[in-house]
Amino acid sequence: MHWFDDWALTLAVFIPLVGLAAVLFIPRAHEQAIKTTALVASLATLAVGVGILADFNYSQGGKLQFIVDKSWIPLIKARYHMGVDGISLPLLILSMLMVVLCIIYSWNHFPEPHNPKAFLALILLLAVGMNGTFVAQDLILFFVFFEIVLLPMFFMIGVWGGPNRQYAAIKFFLFTLFGSALMLVSFLAIFFLSKHQTFQMPQLAQFGGSGIASGTQALVFGGLFLGFAIKVPMFPFHTWLPDAHTEAPTVGSVLLAAILLKLGAYGFIRIALPILPAAARAWAPWIGLLAVIAIIYGALCCLAQRDMKRLIAFSSVSHMGFVMLGIATLTSFGINAAVFGMVAHGLITGLLFFVAGSVQERYKTREMNRLGGLLTQAPKLGWILGFTVMASLGLPGLAGFWGEFPAILSAYNPAKLTQGLFNGDQLLTFRVYLVVAAIGTVLAAGYLLWMLQRVAFGAVKAEFENVHIHDVHVSEWIAWVPLLLLIVALGIYPNLIFHITHGAVSNVSKVFGG
Amino acid sequence: MLENAWIIPTLPAVAFVAIVFFGKRSPGKGAFVGIAAVGASFVASCVAAGQWIQRVDNATGKSEGLAAFTKGVVSAGGAHAVQPVTESITWWQNGSIKFGVGTFVDGLTVMMVVVVTLISLLVQIYSTAYMRGDRRYTWYFAALSLFTASMLTLVVASNTIQLLVGWELVGVCSFMLIGHWWEEPANSRAAIKAFLTTRTGDIGLMIGIIILFFTVGSFGIGATNLYATSGHAQHAFLLAAAVCLLVAIIGKSGQFPLHTWLPDAMAGPTPVSALIHAATMVVAGVFLGARLYPVFFNGFSIGHGGVNAMALVGGVTIIIGAALAFVQTDIKKVLAYSTISQLGYMVMALGVGAWSAAVFHLFTHAFFKALLFLGAGSVSHAAGHSFDMREMGGLRKKMPITFWTFVIGSLALAGIFPLAGFWSKDEILVNAGKNGYTAFLVVGLIGAFLTAAYMTRVVYLTFFGEYRGHEHPHESERAITIPLVILGALSVGAGLVNAAPLGLEKIKDWVQPQVAFPHLNNAAFDYPKAILSVSIALAAIVIAGYYWLRRDELRAFRGLTERNALARSGYQFLVNKYYLDYLYEDIIVDGIRGAVARASYWVNQHVIDGVVNGLGSGSTRIARYTYDVIDQRVVDGAANGIALETDRAGAEVRGFQSGHVQRYALVLFGGVGLLSLALFLINIH
Amino acid sequence: MQLNEFLILAAFLFCTGAYGVLARRNGVLVLMSIELMLNAVNINLVAFSAFTKNVSGQIFALFIITIAAAEVGVGLAIVLLIYRNLHSPDLDEVDQLKG
């Protein structure tokens, strides 16, 4: 299997690209062939992922594995450098899995204006960017993959989206592009300020920002922060998200929630914290503050929603707040929780968006005032919604809990920071965050159960009484069952993720003494 | 079985999965699977209990009898103390620290698993008849199985995280079951209210667990108790943790002021109410208090006497709950308020240092409260699915089994000798008096009086007088009456487990932990106090019965005198009957029924419930404001504003590009001219 | 002869040309004005070449003459096309490049 070690990541990233090329060569009329090709390409990618899972050395989870390191653009010292460790692996697999499920889900569900060829090509292109971001170990390579993602998502929202799609697509594109521009500036600054002038993440992490003045570090971190925070999205940079989610087609929403939001948080863990630890210490209380504001604020906004999809979008803001709170503590508890939270949120919110999409497809509306009695008309769909809601509100025994609870836990005892709020008392600062975040869990239960009550419980509204509502389709079952199983499995036995991540997370947190 | 206690919660959990997937096709439409699993679980629990008792008895036999562990239990693992049996496997990890999931089995655990599985078994058998023909019959049994499994997970938990998992799962199961008939908006509202109220309390549990983890350095229940009793514990942290955990208990066990969800939770099917009130859900709070008792004991300094939050909460709840029970017309709501009040006894007992009394009361209360709920269900099942006591009456003759078992349950609840409730309630009162909490002794006695009075009212309205409904009531079938009879027998006999005057103190011997546990002085049985409390309860029954009888039928003066004669024989309080008539009818009963109860109910509905509702609607309003003004206008406005400004600047500059070549040339020449001028000026020196 | 005279002549010619380019509206006249400016430069180049005894100036002048011829060819073609499309040689009407 020696060749596999060398080629696995290249395959993981570029098989979707090959699939994309193949799809482009098939004439538009041969829909079946196009769908099959796309599915085969995504399945092949997932197979590579399974191979990586099987071959990964879990006792060395903290070390980069499957490393490829080739010269790429010598002029700027950028290298084709990829590798996975315990932090990347769960997210990489999640990304591969979600792409397969999205293709299966859209099998007979292509939104208007149809055109499966273009739609699937965009999904495959997204896969290239997402997989690449999680394995890149070179800042320039990372940036390239990070940006590749924007394009297909822009078109997906702009072409297949809802009535207000153009506004949403442009807002999404501009907002994130603005962030990445500053992020690139920071990358360049890191390159020039570092001793060896390198873009290689492992080297930069080892080097840990030594020799860079703390003021400069804080500024450079600011650039990274904006780039990643917009992607997460953190309060107050989140306004693109509800619009993008509301307008995007179902599959777009799913990928956006499940994977794209993770790119930002992953960037914090992979790049911002290890490369600029001193700045991270200085910024942490503020990141934590924004995180808890997001938790409460997102939840409050959810309570005011009438549109189901928009509610779920705001719930993402709230949930990613927990992830960011975990990261802001700079402890291994917090970062482990953040990685777990990302995977759990990907599975759960992905499923929520799938279900919301299916509800919309059947009732042609997402207005919760008009819906009701889903459990009567489509009991299975209703139960899946109920299950997912329970998972999303952080019910122990399901995956959501393990992202939330350790994150709250970690806030009790953050790593040593430069300063805190409240007269500089960092312990007090974070313990206040802890209580606020815990209150957030109650609000989460409130808005999610309220949604469930309006959509699933009660009697069917008069306007839909005589409409035939098909219960879950076969393609929906195939797409959802893996998610349902994973949510339960991770909830019952969370070590499935924690035993992969803990080594790599310790590498990040040991700099901070955690 | 002590080492393999994981089997006990696993069986119903497996049954849940099996029923969900194969229930509709299995015999009994899933009911048999559920009953078989919980039955097997019950057998396993009994085996575990037997093994534990054997172990304790062996250890005691080798030491010098009882004395060895009544004095020397503070230190970890005194000479012959029986250690809890713990088993665990890795569940999750952080860095190289591994956190386990597993079982922690000691006397409290085995007692709880026996109670939970037994009640759950009886409730499931009962449900086969009660729920027959229900829309979601199969799902109902699946949810019951999951409910039982969650509670058992909580009970056997070896660490606080696992406890939290079980705790929340119990909450969600009760959500599903309270909202079982979700077609009615009122039911789903009640379910959500229950879930959200308890989850508010769960904030306390979560934070308490976190504080304990960082103080103790472990999630383990054994380790936590050991730390709390070690003597070098940091008191401030213990106090903080105890306060947080008390909030959790208040939420879960329906204590004042978070008790409002419990009466609403009656929206669920009656067997579910029995399960919630007797064995699962609300009992979880008291169990938490008992399980982590050293934290409370040392956190609140219970050993030093003086008022503490825990005892106070319990005491207030006893009165509040009992007073409210008087103004209810719904039989299930009376029982719900009674549960609140009884849980108040347990919490108060924990708060005054009467651990074994609290656990004992939990034990006996499980049987008679389950009995009362199932009895109420039987009545409504037979009498047209109504719980309104105004439509009942005179059912004594028509359903004798239900009547007699219900009376036994009521008497047990009222604390009448020698039924189960007497022994446990009496132990609480005696201990409260002995540990220097005289005020709480008085509260307990008042509670006992109220309990007996309102239960008399229920029994009278339901079973005596003329039938006021429009159905044809009949005795229920066997699947319903057999559980009633079993529970009735237990309500009579369960108290003997810890009947101190007979030399039986098994709760103290078998259940009370012998390691990592504070040194408690259990009070000896006190005859005057016992007689006092029984007298008070009997007086309440007689007075209330008399009142209801007379109020109902003024024509029956002959009956009235008979009653009075009966009363006179037992109670010297009733010697002067006119005086007492006046006192009880116009001052006490009317006062309690009228002013006090209404005021409590008013406070309950308007102030407490109002705050809950107000918080709900207020946060919606804040949310709407936040969304409309801050998010849409300020935050989003800022984002749109930047784009707009860029656009406007572009429009300004656009005019410059006229398209006229000559104008461009003019600019060009002008520029060259200016540049030349600049060059000239620079070079002038 | 002094260099100055040539330079003054060239400056005069250049200014005339520049005025024509900026002020005339007829495309043909603008073209001719451009020619004037080019030739003013030529004069300068030749004059400086003679003055500094360096032949490269004259070579440049020859280049400019050649290029000017080509430029006039293209320019006239453009003007012709403008006339054909707009029925007027007036350059003010040509503002399709407006932003």
Side-chain angles (χ1 to χ4, degrees), chain B residues 487-630:
Chain B
L487 286 169
L490 285 166
S491 301
V492 174
L496 296 175
V497 170
N498 209 35
L502 308 179
L504 294 166
E505 289 192 280
K506 295 306 175 194
I507 293 282
K508 211 181 340 176
D509 296 354
W510 292 336
V511 176
Q512 185 164 313
Q514 301 175 14
V515 292
F517 199 74
H519 181 67
L520 297 178
N521 289 314
N522 284 316
F525 191 77
D526 187 349
Y527 282 99
K529 275 183 192 144
I531 291 169
L532 178 67
S533 77
V534 173
S535 312
I536 285 177
L538 284 176
I541 291 173
V542 171
I543 292 161
Y546 171 68
Y547 167 78
W548 283 103
L549 198 73
R550 211 194 114 184
R551 180 181 167 277
D552 217 45
E553 312 169 328
L554 269 171
R555 62 190 155 86
F557 266 112
R558 212 178 48 195
L560 181 74
T561 24
E562 271 171 27
R563 288 278 146 183
N564 267 330
L566 203 97
R568 196 181 282 128
S569 61
Y571 287 92
Q572 49 186 7
F573 279 99
L574 282 183
V575 174
N576 189 343
K577 67 177 179 186
Y578 289 112
Y579 172 70
L580 283 180
D581 263 350
Y582 168 75
L583 182 70
Y584 284 114
E585 256 183 64
D586 291 352
I587 300 181
I588 298 184
V589 181
D590 273 3
I592 291 173
R593 246 197 90 217
V596 179
R598 287 230 174 98
S600 313
Y601 197 55
W602 187 87
V603 169
N604 182 57
Q605 294 302 98
H606 290 89
V607 180
I608 301 167
D609 224 22
V611 169
V612 174
N613 291 337
L615 278 178
S617 66
S619 56
T620 314
R621 224 169 290 147
I622 295 172
R624 191 167 296 282
Y625 178 81
T626 319
Y627 175 69
D628 287 348
V629 177
I630 301 180

Side-chain angles (χ1 to χ4, degrees), chain A residues 116-440:
Chain A
K117 179 170 169 174
F119 196 74
L120 291 171
L122 289 178
I123 291 185
L124 289 172
L125 187 57
L126 260 179
V128 176
M130 296 185 306
N131 296 350
T133 312
F134 289 132
V135 297
Q137 295 296 333
D138 176 287
L139 288 181
I140 296 299
L141 196 62
F142 177 90
F143 184 76
V144 169
F145 285 127
F146 198 80
E147 294 304 297
I148 282 182
V149 171
L150 286 187
L151 201 71
M153 192 45 81
F154 173 74
F155 283 113
M156 214 177 256
I157 300 171
V159 177
W160 284 269
N164 205 7
R165 57 181 176 267
Q166 268 155 13
Y167 169 73
I170 287 171
K171 195 169 176 184
F172 160 75
F173 196 84
L174 290 186
F175 224 130
T176 39
L177 202 65
F178 171 72
S180 13
L182 289 174
M183 187 177 83
L184 185 61
V185 173
S186 287
F187 282 177
L188 295 177
I190 291 170
F191 176 81
F192 286 113
L193 292 172
S194 68
K195 217 177 291 161
H196 306 291
Q197 305 217 326
T198 174
F199 281 121
Q200 310 312 303
M201 294 183 202
Q203 268 167 276
L204 286 168
Q206 212 166 22
F207 171 61
S210 61
I212 308 179
S214 63
T216 322
Q217 268 207 43
L219 273 181
V220 175
F221 192 93
L224 295 179
F225 171 79
L226 270 180
F228 296 138
I230 287 173
K231 203 82 168 190
V232 168
M234 293 185 72
F235 175 87
F237 309 112
H238 64 278
T239 52
W240 62 270
L241 184 81
D243 284 321
H245 268 312
T246 317
E247 300 303 327
T250 303
V251 171
S253 288
V254 170
L255 288 176
L256 193 59
I259 316 292
L260 261 60
L261 304 190
K262 310 302 173 296
L263 301 181
Y266 174 78
F268 273 109
I269 301 176
R270 169 68 64 205
I271 296 173
L273 299 193
I275 294 182
L276 298 167
R281 280 179 210 273
W283 276 74
W286 302 102
I287 296 179
L289 179 67
L290 292 181
V292 291
I293 291 177
I295 291 173
I296 298 297
Y297 178 90
L300 290 177
C301 288
C302 279
L303 285 171
Q305 297 311 313
R306 298 215 172 90
D307 181 316
M308 194 175 163
K309 235 174 147 184
R310 211 169 165 80
L311 188 152
I312 303 171
F314 270 113
S315 85
S316 287
V317 175
S318 187
H319 283 131
M320 290 309 280
F322 284 103
V323 170
M324 290 313 298
L325 178 63
I327 292 175
T329 64
L330 306 177
T331 56
S332 60
F333 265 123
I335 300 172
N336 267 323
V339 178
F340 200 107
M342 285 195 257
V343 175
H345 175 260
L347 297 171
I348 295 167
T349 309
L351 188 50
L352 269 181
F353 274 118
F354 269 137
V355 175
S358 291
V359 168
Q360 185 190 12
E361 196 183 65
R362 286 163 172 76
Y363 290 93
K364 314 287 178 223
T365 180
R366 297 185 306 249
E367 281 282 310
M368 288 184 286
N369 290 338
R370 292 174 58 197
L371 294 169
L374 180 65
L375 272 167
T376 324
Q377 284 193 308
K380 288 180 180 128
L381 190 60
W383 281 119
I384 292 174
L385 177 66
F387 172 88
T388 322
V389 158
M390 287 302 164
S392 184
L393 62 82
L395 187 74
L398 299 175
F401 173 74
W402 294 103
E404 242 172 59
F405 180 73
I408 298 175
L409 177 88
S410 67
Y412 188 83
N413 235 1
K416 186 136 180 53
L417 310 174
T418 318
Q419 52 170 352
L421 313 178
F422 306 112
N423 298 327
D425 185 345
Q426 50 148 328
L427 266 186
L428 178 63
T429 309
F430 271 85
R431 284 176 191 174
V432 170
Y433 295 169
L434 181 151
V435 175
V436 176
I439 292 169

Side-chain angles (χ1 to χ4, degrees), chain B residues 249-422:
Chain B
I249 295 176
I250 289 172
K252 205 70 161 185
S253 287
Q255 297 297 292
F256 178 81
L258 288 181
H259 63 276
T260 53
W261 65 272
L262 204 51
D264 285 23
M266 294 300 113
T270 311
V272 171
S273 306
L275 200 54
I276 288 180
H277 287 251
T280 57
M281 192 70 185
V282 295
V283 176
V286 177
F287 173 76
L288 173 72
R291 176 88 289 172
L292 294 175
Y293 194 58
V295 175
F296 293 98
F297 191 83
N298 293 325
F300 286 133
S301 312
I302 289 170
H304 302 300
V307 175
N308 65 63
M310 203 171 193
L312 200 62
V313 165
V316 170
T317 309
I318 292 174
I319 303 297
I320 294 264
L324 290 172
F326 279 98
V327 291
Q328 306 304 322
T329 53
D330 183 318
I331 184 168
K332 278 176 79 180
K333 287 206 172 169
V334 177
L335 295 177
Y337 281 116
S338 136
T339 303
I340 291 172
S341 171
Q342 296 301 311
L343 289 165
Y345 273 107
M346 300 177 207
V347 173
M348 187 185 84
L350 290 174
V352 300
W355 189 91
S356 59
V359 171
F360 187 31
H361 196 54
L362 193 163
F363 179 73
T364 56
H365 175 257
F367 299 124
F368 56 71
K369 191 47 68 66
L371 171 62
L372 289 174
F373 267 110
L374 295 185
S378 171
V379 168
S380 110
H381 192 62
H385 293 279
S386 163
F387 292 101
D388 194 335
M389 290 187 289
R390 285 169 301 194
E391 291 180 16
M392 295 174 185
L395 296 175
R396 174 173 43 133
K397 297 254 172 58
K398 290 179 172 120
M399 14 193 358
I401 302 178
T402 307
F403 167 65
W404 283 112
T405 50
F406 198 90
V407 167
I408 289 171
S410 304
L411 292 176
L413 175 61
I416 303 298
F417 178 85
L419 301 175
F422 163 73

